[in-house]
Amino acid sequence: MAYPKPAPDQMLIEQSPAGLRRWCAARRRAGERIGLVPTMGALHEGHLALVTALHAAVDRVIVSIFVNPTQFAPGEDYARYPRSEDSDLEKLRALGVDLAYMPTPDVMYPTGFTTEIAVGGPLTQGLDATARPGHFTGVATVVAKLLLQAMPDVAAFGEKDYQQLQIIRRMAADLDLPVEILPVKTVRDNQGLALSSRNAYLTPAERDLARQLNKILASAAAELQSGASGREACARAEAKLLAIGFTGVDYVALADPDSLAPLESLTAKGRILAAARIGKTRLIDNLAVEASR
Ligand code: PAF
């Protein structure tokens, strides 16, 4: 689809849900399809890939930037989460984004706000749902609000946050939200490190160490394909991470790629997912893995 890229000074910045709704309604009246990329800012190439994927699917692209307090547990990194609004807006202008939506916490959660969206089932019974209690309720609630505020035709989410992606798909289906959820492949640096805003916390030495996470998951995937059980391959991956200097491993797990229910072995398609820490920095990654025939 031909996309008329707005001039750099034409990207709108909107802070209120009412203003966002007015703009979206006008675009829809003009027969245009709208796409939304929800983000917490500190934008990197992974976010930009989501924008590029949407440009190919819709006429107008909105990027929301909102560091959502309700998805951080007490003691997590909400206060120090990287914030870089000026450079984020520059990147979005350069990519021809039509509107940057930047609501404030008191607009998203005004006094008296009490509603939560809690997705149930195996998707929220393990992995990050166990390691970060309450996290996905915060994510589902804010994503539902953003989707209802913008009512996009398509919303793009990265596979790097694979459990989040599956939970959002489930929520959109269960609530009959009229939106297509577009998954976008993880963007990695030239040594395989999945791009993440939290990588900004890493020192150069820690970044080198972090690059081993993907490699160790890839070797666990190869072991699974050679017939190792999920338990054996994941335990070995966890031991390797700790041996090379990761300071903690929340999980390495083999799961069904749709339901995320644990798998004992690889008989068809699976997903291997991990969360591990280097000092105060928590990294997550995941890989698709398929039984070799
Ligand atoms: O993936 C993220 O950056 C966040 O969890 C999201 C989807 C923007 C909700 O705050």
Side-chain angles (χ1 to χ4, degrees):
M1 176 181 302
Y3 182 79
K5 195 169 155 173
D9 59 354
Q10 280 176 354
M11 185 179 79
L12 298 174
I13 298 176
E14 185 55 71
Q15 287 199 289
S16 81
L20 174 71
R21 276 208 187 90
R22 269 195 303 276
W23 184 85
C24 291
R27 303 282 36 102
R28 271 191 290 276
R29 276 198 301 278
E32 293 175 345
R33 276 164 54 82
I34 297 171
L36 172 70
V37 180
T39 81
M40 299 207 298
L43 301 180
H44 50 67
E45 290 297 324
H47 297 110
L48 306 186
L50 302 178
V51 172
T52 304
L54 274 188
H55 273 325
V58 297
D59 304 297
R60 299 285 170 179
V61 176
I62 301 169
V63 175
S64 63
I65 299 179
F66 178 62
V67 185
N68 174 36
T70 67
Q71 67 188 75
F72 293 80
E76 287 190 349
D77 56 345
Y78 175 66
R80 70 183 187 113
Y81 193 83
R83 288 161 171 87
S84 52
E85 287 177 3
D86 291 345
S87 73
D88 287 350
L89 292 174
E90 278 319 302
K91 289 174 186 164
L92 299 182
R93 285 192 183 98
L95 271 186
V97 165
D98 295 276
L99 187 146
Y101 178 48
M102 305 174 75
T104 54
D106 52 326
V107 162
M108 292 298 270
Y109 301 111
T111 307
F113 184 94
T114 53
T115 302
E116 287 180 338
I117 308 269
V119 175
L123 283 176
T124 51
Q125 279 168 10
L127 311 173
D128 264 22
T130 307
R132 303 182 68 190
H135 169 66
F136 287 122
T137 299
V139 170
T141 304
V142 78
V143 171
K145 282 174 70 74
L146 292 166
L147 293 176
L148 290 167
Q149 289 169 353
M151 297 291 280
D153 297 279
V154 187
F157 294 88
E159 287 188 350
K160 155 117 178 337
D161 296 291
Y162 191 79
Q163 190 174 13
Q164 166 175 286
L165 168 67
Q166 296 306 86
I167 287 171
I168 289 167
R169 280 176 152 160
R170 180 79 267 152
M171 174 188 75
D174 288 355
L175 299 182
D176 302 309
L177 297 180
V179 60
E180 177 194 340
I181 303 299
L182 180 70
V184 177
K185 294 234 169 301
T186 303
V187 178
R188 299 180 182 279
D189 76 2
N190 59 5
Q191 291 176 59
L193 175 64
L195 300 193
S196 162
S197 304
R198 288 190 170 94
N199 291 351
Y201 299 147
L202 298 169
T203 64
E206 289 174 336
R207 190 173 284 262
D208 281 343
L209 184 57
R211 290 187 168 117
Q212 297 306 312
L213 176 58
N214 178 255
K215 296 184 175 65
I216 288 174
L217 292 190
S219 74
E223 286 180 28
L224 289 164
Q225 286 171 324
S226 313
S229 71
R231 191 189 301 248
E232 287 163 348
C234 293
R236 244 189 311 271
E238 186 169 334
K240 280 186 202 166
L241 288 167
L242 293 171
I244 62 172
F246 277 76
T247 49
V249 178
D250 287 351
Y251 56 84
V252 180
L254 174 67
D256 176 89
D258 299 318
S259 69
L260 293 186
L263 289 180
E264 282 180 13
S265 62
L266 192 64
T267 51
K269 288 187 179 182
R271 200 93 193 178
I272 176 158
L273 303 102
R277 296 169 194 275
I278 301 176
K280 283 193 190 159
T281 307
R282 186 172 188 274
L283 302 166
I284 59 172
D285 202 352
N286 66 86
L287 288 182
V289 53
E290 192 165 355
S292 37
R293 295 179 201 163

